[in-house]
Amino acid sequence: MKKFLIAGNWKMFTNVFESKVLVETLIANIWKDNQNTTVLVCPPFTSLCGVADVIKDTDLKLGAQNCHYEEKGAYTGEISPQMLQYLGCNYIIIGHSERRTHFKEDDEIIARKLSSILDLGLIPILCIGETFEQRMNNMTNTILTKQIEKAFENIDKSLIKQVVIAYEPVWAIGTGISATPEQAQETHRWVKDFISSTYSVNREDLTVIYGGSMNDKNCYELLNLADVDGGLIGGASLNAETFTSIIETAKSISKI
Ligand code: 13P
């Protein structure tokens, strides 16, 4: 039986009021029989408190979209993983391509964030992915190798199975063009094989989710792939009906 993680990355959308309405609608839509599908919402920082309050008696999980690697300090404008833990976040997304590109986050910063999150017992969602040009030049596996090796360089290797990997091809994010099922399966299989052989981790213990223009129309064929363990969904998670439909699809596949 397949288990899924279906995560909504709301990016810089929804103020606190809109966030609460979105999550209330979601709860009304989906809240029963969810054993094999974990549903996670990652609103903007300013909505975390409000959303935490709305979901407190449900199985819905809360995540943040980023964090700093230090616990506290003179880092104006930053938020520490400890602060997020106090708000009830179980997951923190790191290494998203939008942060790598617009905020110049490199593999070293991402590695430090990864360690801090793991030290707290929280679950990091480590985003990796290649650009279109890199894929065209057959560099996908080289790029993913570097991103994974750098992220895992200094962590206790026994913690690797706690890390969720989100394979997000940069060219598929927000473009409406998702990876084809063949591309997604091939890359997810490669990521699992690479991590399990390099770090001696059980392949079955790894969670690799797909992100990049996943929606209610293409989620069935993507989630049905052998090595796809869920989705990290941007645009389609901002609409309660569409996100519900993706969750219901995951639930139905997990029962097969
Ligand atoms: P879209 O689903 O909007 O393509 O975004 C994917 C993503 O970046 C999730 O982190």
Side-chain angles (χ1 to χ4, degrees):
M1 196 178 281
K2 228 176 151 184
K3 283 193 190 307
F4 287 112
L5 171 64
I6 302 296
N9 173 9
W10 297 1
K11 307 193 180 186
M12 199 174 72
F13 293 99
T14 68
N15 63 38
V16 65
F17 304 107
E18 292 162 340
S19 297
K20 282 161 76 168
V21 171
L22 179 52
V23 88
E24 274 158 7
T25 316
L26 201 56
I27 291 167
N29 281 353
I30 60 170
W31 233 248
K32 34 180 171 8
D33 187 23
N34 248 15
Q35 303 97 312
N36 294 317
T37 302
T38 301
V39 181
L40 166 69
V41 289
C42 303
F45 287 133
T46 47
S47 294
L48 286 172
C49 216
V51 170
D53 195 42
V54 175
I55 68 174
K56 63 178 184 299
D57 297 322
T58 74
D59 291 335
L60 202 64
K61 303 283 186 225
L62 187 64
Q65 299 172 19
N66 179 34
C67 66
H68 196 269
Y69 48 77
E70 294 288 357
E71 177 185 352
K72 55 185 153 188
Y75 298 102
T76 302
E78 291 293 318
I79 309 279
S80 77
Q82 282 81 356
M83 293 168 178
L84 297 168
Q85 188 172 39
Y86 272 111
L87 282 182
C89 288
N90 316 98
Y91 293 78
I92 305 180
I93 299 171
I94 51 170
H96 194 282
S97 80
E98 286 152 15
R99 296 216 57 89
R100 293 179 192 258
T101 309
H102 303 309
F103 305 100
K104 308 283 174 270
E105 287 191 13
D106 58 19
D107 288 318
E108 194 194 320
I109 291 176
I110 294 162
R112 293 176 78 169
K113 294 183 180 193
L114 186 77
S115 290
S116 305
I117 295 167
L118 286 171
D119 283 349
L120 290 175
L122 299 177
I123 303 172
I125 300 183
L126 171 68
C127 300
I128 58 173
E130 81 289 355
T131 62
F132 183 71
E133 194 186 3
Q134 288 161 343
R135 178 163 277 270
M136 286 300 107
N137 288 315
N138 289 323
M139 286 170 63
T140 301
N141 295 354
T142 315
I143 297 297
L144 300 183
T145 300
K146 179 170 162 283
Q147 292 173 339
I148 294 167
E149 283 182 342
K150 290 278 181 196
F152 289 172
E153 209 164 64
N154 297 318
I155 62 166
D156 173 353
K157 304 298 179 273
S158 70
L159 296 178
I160 287 176
K161 58 178 185 297
Q162 328 237 23
V163 178
V164 172
I165 302 279
Y167 170 57
E168 299 208 308
V170 178
W171 46 271
I173 297 175
T175 58
I177 302 165
S178 74
T180 64
E182 293 71 27
Q183 289 168 327
Q185 171 54 24
E186 191 194 345
T187 312
H188 280 236
R189 183 181 45 72
W190 181 86
V191 168
K192 286 190 179 181
D193 288 346
F194 175 74
I195 295 177
S196 62
S197 61
T198 311
Y199 303 100
S200 310
V201 187
N202 237 336
R203 206 178 182 285
E204 291 68 45
D205 289 338
L206 296 172
T207 306
V208 182
I209 64 176
Y210 170 81
S213 296
M214 186 185 274
N215 57 38
D216 52 335
K217 307 284 183 308
N218 61 20
C219 65
Y220 181 81
E221 48 181 10
L222 289 165
L223 294 172
N224 217 6
L225 298 166
D227 290 311
V228 173
D229 305 309
L232 183 55
I233 299 133
S237 71
L238 291 168
N239 178 299
E241 306 310 322
T242 317
F243 195 50
T244 301
S245 166
I246 298 172
I247 294 162
E248 293 300 336
T249 303
K251 284 204 243 174
S252 71
I253 297 172
S254 76
K255 285 190 189 123
I256 298 169

